[in-house]
Amino acid sequence: MKHNPLIRILFGVFVALLLTLQLCSCGGGSKASGAASLSITWPDQSRLIPVAANSITVAFLNGSTTVASQTVARPSSGNQSTVSFSSLPATSLTLTAKAFPSTDGSGTAQASASQSVTITADSTTSVTLTMASTISTLSLSPNSPSVAAGSSTTLTLSAKDSSGATVITSDSTMTWTSSNTSVATVAAGGVVTGVAAGTSTITVTDSESGKSASVTATVTSSGTTIVDLANAYINSLSSTQQAAVVVSASATNAAKWSNLPATPASDGTNTLRNGVSYSSLTTAQKTAFINLVQAAIGTNGYDQWTQIRASDNYLGASRSGYSGDYQYVAFVGTPSTSGNWLLQIGGHHNAHNYYYTGNTLDTTTPYFLGVEPQTFTYNSTSYTPLLAQRNGMYNLVNSLTSTQLTSAKLTSSFSDVYLGPGKDARSNFPTGTSGRGILASSLTSTQQTLLKTAIAAWVDTSAEASTYQLLYESELASTYVAYSGTTTFNSQGDYVRIDGPHVWIEFVCQNGVVFSGIHFHTVWRDRVTDYNADFGF
């Protein structure tokens, strides 16, 4: 028996691997086979791909047939791993490597590479295989951000591979630029700050993939206060309309919101919500309505709100009872510069509850979002209003290992969100440590990052986004992740929950009502500060 060193392969740039393959020709047979020994040197988790690479799948292919494949998990300590291939044919093969954020090679590859190698007897070949980012496209939302001079808004960055699957991004590899810094500046993380009225093109470029994306930001003059805008809307209404829009500060009125469609009566009111329908307003009243909503929700939230309105217009084209104009604004308590008051903005698939002390926003929850269908085209524009929410929860739950999924599985099934409208009492929240899912303290750092991203999909649309995010991240170790149904998000009752000392977010899949297929319901609550802990819930 004779053993000859055959191939050395170095994986460069992101993950260093050294493969030494030997050709074995045994017993005088005519066929030869190779044996491969693989050494992996893992880099520090300081760049995108190392952060995303918690496992690497190495495979040898003969044409389209996988000859041998193994997945190597990042070690819990140290930076060395080894793996061996006991038998490889002496022929031309394709060597591939893919890096995954999971530890078992599941999910979406964050980096990949391939190289043709020819295994030849009695020869040694050195090959360098450079793994490159799988990012194919970058996108920014909202598509047309708006911010007042002196204020800031944060753009949401999404990355996809060539198949449309979401890829993890890293601030450290992103460069942000503004075409007109006298109008708007942009900082790391996509934080756009208005300087003066005008427009500026905001561009982000990824150094790893070379991909970029741009949006045009509009900066407006410093805005009027929220109380001024609230009173401008109230003053535009008739006395009859005002009576429906400004209601007493009671628990009954605060809890009057819904996720159901309702055609307004002739006076613009309905039994499910406070206020009068946008569809019943005059042009001047509609302008005051929009000015208030846009200021309260902010750029990111307003963009999502307009998309959800478009989804109801899309539904209304196929069935009566749906319209994007069936939106309502109401005030629980009278808006003033010193008093407490609740601003409600609601429609079929949205319910916003903003609690103010004077002009200061105190809390944003409860906060309901839904959409049917998931994605659609209306007036030649394509919409996917809850893409960030769907991807946040999907990537999180599908990063769990089989053992973790067992711990995260709930015994109950869900046809809708558990704490939707009418479920405001704090006694409804589960307590204790049993049956709530898997604690984030037991998740990997990559999984914890996915949990933070999932939370951000909801809180980023709030004017208090950074406050909520910092609070929820500070309590991450005591936060549970749980699910019911399947993790495919293709079936009625597929359900994911984030349950912390403060944060409570639910995402559920439901069968379509107007169209076939799955649509989504979600709710974000805060266990402690819903309605600013007012109204005695």
Side-chain angles (χ1 to χ4, degrees):
M1 180 185 296
K2 183 178 181 181
H3 297 267
N4 297 310
L6 185 60
I7 299 178
R8 290 183 183 273
I9 302 173
L10 178 68
F11 288 53
V13 179
F14 301 115
V15 184
L17 298 89
L18 180 65
L19 278 73
T20 302
L21 285 78
Q22 291 187 318
L23 178 67
C24 300
S25 181
C26 306
S30 60
K31 292 187 177 180
S33 62
S37 178
L38 167 64
S39 292
I40 303 175
T41 301
W42 298 86
D44 293 334
Q45 292 186 324
S46 60
R47 296 172 63 199
L48 167 61
I49 300 305
V51 169
N54 284 304
S55 65
I56 293 180
T57 297
V58 181
F60 290 90
L61 282 70
N62 189 349
S64 60
T65 302
T66 299
V67 174
S69 176
Q70 291 197 50
T71 297
V72 187
R74 181 189 286 273
S76 58
S77 61
N79 66 345
Q80 298 293 319
S81 299
T82 59
V83 66
S84 297
F85 292 89
S86 61
S87 180
L88 294 170
T91 186
S92 294
L93 301 174
T94 300
L95 173 65
T96 66
K98 295 181 180 180
F100 296 90
S102 62
T103 57
D104 60 0
S106 62
T108 301
Q110 307 297 306
S112 64
S114 64
Q115 177 80 36
S116 296
V117 293
T118 300
I119 299 178
T120 306
D122 302 318
S123 66
T124 300
T125 304
S126 295
V127 178
T128 299
L129 192 62
T130 301
M131 299 180 70
S133 169
T134 58
I135 292 175
S136 178
T137 60
L138 293 178
S139 62
L140 292 171
S141 63
N143 297 324
S144 302
S146 178
V147 62
S151 298
S152 298
T153 188
T154 302
L155 301 178
T156 300
L157 172 65
S158 298
K160 293 184 181 297
D161 63 17
S162 58
S163 69
T166 299
V167 180
I168 295 173
T169 61
S170 171
D171 286 343
S172 64
T173 67
M174 299 296 166
T175 301
W176 296 83
T177 59
S178 169
S179 66
N180 191 344
T181 55
S182 63
V183 170
T185 61
V186 62
V191 180
V192 178
T193 300
V195 178
T199 61
S200 178
T201 300
I202 306 299
T203 301
V204 61
T205 302
D206 173 36
S207 61
E208 299 287 7
S209 64
K211 304 299 182 181
S212 62
S214 299
V215 293
T216 299
T218 299
V219 179
T220 59
S221 299
S222 298
T224 311
T225 68
I226 195 71
V227 170
D228 289 337
L229 292 170
N231 285 322
Y233 176 57
I234 293 169
N235 293 334
S236 74
L237 303 174
S238 68
S239 58
T240 301
Q241 290 172 318
Q242 288 178 1
V245 168
V246 184
V247 298
S248 62
S250 68
T252 299
N253 286 329
K256 194 175 179 181
W257 55 272
S258 178
N259 61 287
L260 298 175
T263 302
S266 58
D267 63 356
T269 64
N270 78 93
T271 59
L272 299 178
R273 299 171 182 86
N274 300 309
V276 292
S277 173
Y278 180 85
S279 63
S280 68
L281 302 179
T282 66
T283 300
Q285 291 169 338
K286 287 180 177 179
T287 298
F289 181 110
I290 292 298
N291 288 342
L292 172 60
V293 170
Q294 190 165 12
I297 296 182
T299 302
N300 293 343
Y302 184 76
D303 179 71
Q304 187 175 58
W305 180 73
T306 57
Q307 292 191 52
I308 291 173
R309 286 185 66 196
S311 71
D312 265 15
N313 285 328
Y314 186 76
L315 293 176
S318 296
R319 182 176 298 184
S320 62
Y322 298 90
S323 171
D325 284 351
Y326 294 167
Q327 288 285 327
Y328 297 78
V329 159
F331 308 95
V332 180
T334 302
S336 71
T337 57
S338 58
N340 299 324
W341 54 286
L342 179 71
L343 169 62
Q344 295 181 318
I345 303 168
H348 168 213
H349 269 151
N350 64 286
H352 309 257
N353 292 276
Y354 299 110
Y355 191 101
Y356 291 89
T357 299
N359 281 303
T360 301
L361 177 62
D362 294 318
T363 60
T364 304
T365 62
Y367 183 90
F368 178 91
L369 294 174
V371 68
E372 181 185 4
Q374 298 177 38
T375 183
F376 59 96
T377 299
Y378 181 73
N379 287 344
S380 302
T381 300
S382 296
Y383 297 96
T384 313
L386 298 190
L387 180 63
Q389 287 76 14
R390 182 266 180 202
N391 286 349
M393 289 300 209
Y394 181 88
N395 291 338
L396 171 61
V397 74
N398 281 282
S399 74
L400 302 180
T401 66
S402 57
T403 301
Q404 291 173 321
L405 284 171
T406 299
S407 299
K409 186 80 170 183
L410 296 170
T411 57
S412 300
S413 58
F414 300 86
S415 60
D416 204 343
V417 292
Y418 174 57
L419 296 184
K423 293 288 190 72
D424 295 302
R426 284 178 173 76
S427 59
N428 289 319
F429 289 103
T431 57
T433 59
S434 176
R436 290 175 61 183
I438 184 171
L439 272 172
S441 58
S442 68
L443 302 180
T444 67
S445 60
T446 298
Q447 290 170 329
Q448 290 178 2
T449 297
L450 292 173
L451 173 55
K452 295 175 186 178
T453 300
I455 293 172
W458 277 265
V459 306
D460 276 357
T461 58
S462 166
E464 292 188 305
S466 60
T467 301
Y468 277 114
Q469 192 73 20
L470 287 172
L471 170 63
Y472 295 162
E473 289 186 9
S474 72
E475 300 174 337
L476 207 69
S478 302
T479 298
Y480 292 88
V481 176
Y483 83 103
S484 182
T486 77
T487 63
T488 64
F489 289 12
N490 291 326
S491 302
Q492 165 88 8
D494 287 352
Y495 172 93
V496 183
R497 174 196 297 170
I498 298 171
D499 170 13
H502 276 78
V503 65
W504 176 275
I505 298 174
E506 298 178 71
F507 180 98
V508 67
C509 298
Q510 292 187 318
N511 290 330
V513 176
V514 178
F515 298 104
S516 61
I518 291 297
H519 79 289
F520 303 139
H521 279 188
T522 82
V523 71
W524 164 31
R525 287 182 177 270
D526 189 291
R527 283 173 170 263
V528 180
T529 67
D530 265 6
Y531 303 106
N532 204 38
D534 202 351
F535 306 112
F537 292 120

